Amino acid sequence: MLALQLKHRCRRNTLLLVLPAVRRLGHDNTRSRDPQIGLTTPFPDDLPPRPSPSPFYFAAGYAGWAKRPSRPFPPPFFSPPSGSFSDPLSTHNRSHDRRRVSRINGEMIRGVTVGDDAVLVSDSLIGANDGVGAWAQRERGCAPLWSRLILHFCAVAAEKGGYGGDEEGKAKALVGYMGEAYEQTKEALSGANEWLGTTTASLALLHYKKDGDGEMVRPVVFVAQLGDSKVMVVRPRDKKIVFETEEQWHYFDCPRQLGTNSPDTPEGNAVLSTVELEEDDIVLAMTDGVTDNLWVEEISETAVTSLQGWHEKMNEENLDAEERLAEGMRHVAQEIVLAARHIAEDPFAGSPFMERAVEEGLAIEGGKMDDISVVAAVCKKRKG
């Protein structure tokens, strides 16, 4: 199948890994060396907020670094559509910010693009999708559009569905959101607007459960994953990994994926998990640019130590850490990205990707150059 063949042949840049000197010389020095960072991803100003029924929320931030510039979104997704034939076709009369906003059906596309990856950050739902970069070699290939739109439609479905509803035990709703998003993305990228691509998908939805007597409410996170992106829960108090998703593969270097010519579907292949949380647990959503370069113990250690360092800095500056906690999670995400990028650019480093390649009999060493995206969120209870 085309999607799987493209994934296997091109995504890992095997030639560059075997010839590290070529990779170092080929680096694009015109781009920023700093990660792309932020707090919650943009939300349309003209829509009323739809709060989650959960008494808990995510204080979250994100960071990402692209191995190469993302392929620009094609029309009609890069600007608002004209309302009638009398509207000007040019957008030069619009503000720069308005022309830059990617839209679908006249609505802002949620999330942020990082190379071929996409991330989504809100106080109830986070996600990280990994678009298959090999589609850039196809005339009508646009993997970042697939990864971003699926996250966008997941966010819209979650808002309309009340983030799982008021009742506990609504874990299956998350797979429903992903399935709805997949169908809407296929429809949006077909016909006259056909664009090819595939993407992995991972989502984490914060919810709650009640104890037997119904008096105590505890946080839970519903996790849905398809492919080799990863969701991980770290408990800083105990410095341990509470939960991590398992990667899904068809074969080496070919994970399950949604999109053009792929047989995978959310209903048939997404793995759903329910994880009981404690307040202050860290939930991470990451693409394989992280997990192919860092072992899970390194990711956990980086998350815990960077958050501790940020708290110490807040104390030294006499700042309210609770009010600025999202900034702390952005710092955590940035530190994980920097750690993964350090390995990705080292031709002699040991890495999980190298270990798996050697097990397959491939002479590959060093890190793996890829888009690197992280969402870091900490579970907190809402005041009042």
Side-chain angles (χ1 to χ4, degrees):
M1 287 162 285
L2 178 60
L4 307 185
Q5 292 170 344
L6 284 168
K7 187 82 169 180
H8 181 66
R9 185 178 73 246
C10 303
R11 183 180 182 190
R12 302 299 187 179
N13 293 325
T14 303
L15 177 62
L16 299 183
L17 286 164
V18 177
L19 302 174
V22 175
R23 179 180 65 184
R24 291 197 298 271
L25 291 173
H27 179 72
D28 182 0
N29 291 315
T30 63
R31 292 186 295 121
S32 173
R33 299 287 294 145
D34 297 325
Q36 174 183 343
I37 60 174
L39 301 177
T40 55
T41 47
F43 184 87
D45 294 331
D46 53 351
L47 289 181
R50 294 187 175 102
S52 166
S54 175
F56 302 93
Y57 73 97
F58 280 142
Y62 69 88
W65 185 79
K67 66 180 178 182
R68 62 172 179 262
S70 176
R71 189 168 189 171
F73 284 4
F77 306 104
F78 71 91
S79 64
S82 297
S84 71
F85 288 111
S86 62
D87 288 346
L89 297 178
S90 171
T91 59
H92 75 274
N93 61 319
R94 302 183 188 272
S95 70
H96 181 65
D97 287 342
R98 183 160 176 77
R99 282 185 283 128
R100 288 181 58 193
V101 172
S102 301
R103 293 179 177 269
I104 184 168
N105 301 327
E107 182 178 332
M108 172 194 294
I109 299 178
R110 316 289 173 83
V112 168
T113 296
V114 180
D116 296 312
D117 292 352
V119 296
L120 177 81
V121 189
S122 71
D123 67 356
S124 299
L125 180 69
I126 63 174
N129 289 1
D130 181 4
V132 179
W135 288 103
Q137 300 179 24
R138 304 284 292 185
E139 181 179 357
R140 296 193 66 82
C142 193
L145 192 55
W146 276 85
S147 61
R148 181 84 171 272
L149 283 183
I150 286 180
L151 274 184
H152 164 78
F153 286 121
C154 280
V156 173
E159 291 160 15
K160 292 180 179 178
Y163 297 97
D166 293 315
E167 300 179 16
E168 56 181 310
K170 294 291 186 179
K172 291 184 178 179
L174 188 57
V175 172
Y177 299 155
M178 187 183 290
E180 183 178 339
Y182 182 40
E183 293 302 320
Q184 290 178 312
T185 300
K186 287 195 296 183
E187 182 180 355
L189 299 180
S190 62
N193 294 324
E194 181 183 34
W195 290 94
L196 312 177
T198 49
T199 180
T200 66
S202 62
L203 295 170
L205 175 65
L206 186 60
H207 212 266
Y208 68 96
K209 65 174 293 186
K210 297 178 181 179
D211 282 348
D213 55 13
E215 295 182 2
M216 181 69 71
V217 177
R218 300 184 183 277
V220 298
V221 63
F222 302 142
V223 177
Q225 175 187 307
L226 190 149
D228 63 348
S229 293
K230 183 177 284 289
V231 174
M232 179 187 299
V233 178
V234 178
R235 186 155 293 158
R237 184 193 65 207
D238 301 327
K239 296 184 178 179
K240 72 175 184 179
I241 299 170
V242 176
F243 167 83
E244 60 173 304
T245 55
E246 294 184 5
E247 297 161 330
Q248 297 174 285
W249 300 87
H250 287 283
Y251 47 85
F252 175 69
D253 209 19
C254 181
R256 292 193 180 278
Q257 54 203 273
L258 300 174
T260 308
N261 292 347
S262 175
D264 303 320
T265 64
E267 294 81 2
N269 304 105
V271 175
L272 180 64
S273 305
T274 300
V275 186
E276 294 188 11
L277 298 181
E278 293 182 3
E279 193 172 354
D280 296 322
D281 281 353
I282 297 173
V283 181
L284 302 170
M286 305 163 287
T287 59
D288 70 334
V290 178
T291 55
D292 278 340
N293 287 299
L294 298 176
W295 278 276
V296 292
E297 294 80 9
E298 294 176 309
I299 298 170
S300 173
E301 178 68 19
T302 301
V304 172
T305 56
S306 58
L307 184 58
Q308 288 175 342
W310 181 83
H311 275 292
E312 291 171 2
K313 181 180 178 182
M314 293 296 101
N315 291 336
E316 291 174 0
E317 298 179 1
N318 295 317
L319 298 176
D320 189 333
E322 286 295 313
E323 290 187 359
R324 306 176 65 137
L325 191 52
E327 297 175 16
M329 301 317 296
R330 179 181 61 190
H331 174 70
V332 169
Q334 181 174 352
E335 290 300 301
I336 294 174
V337 168
L338 290 172
R341 195 191 74 190
H342 176 74
I343 300 299
E345 296 178 327
D346 187 343
F348 306 109
S351 68
F353 177 69
M354 181 192 74
E355 186 176 83
R356 287 192 290 267
V358 170
E359 291 174 353
E360 295 291 325
L362 301 176
I364 293 175
E365 62 180 342
K368 186 203 75 173
M369 186 65 71
D370 201 354
D371 300 324
I372 303 171
S373 303
V374 180
V375 178
V378 63
C379 174
K380 301 297 292 184
K381 190 168 186 177
R382 300 183 192 274
K383 295 180 180 179

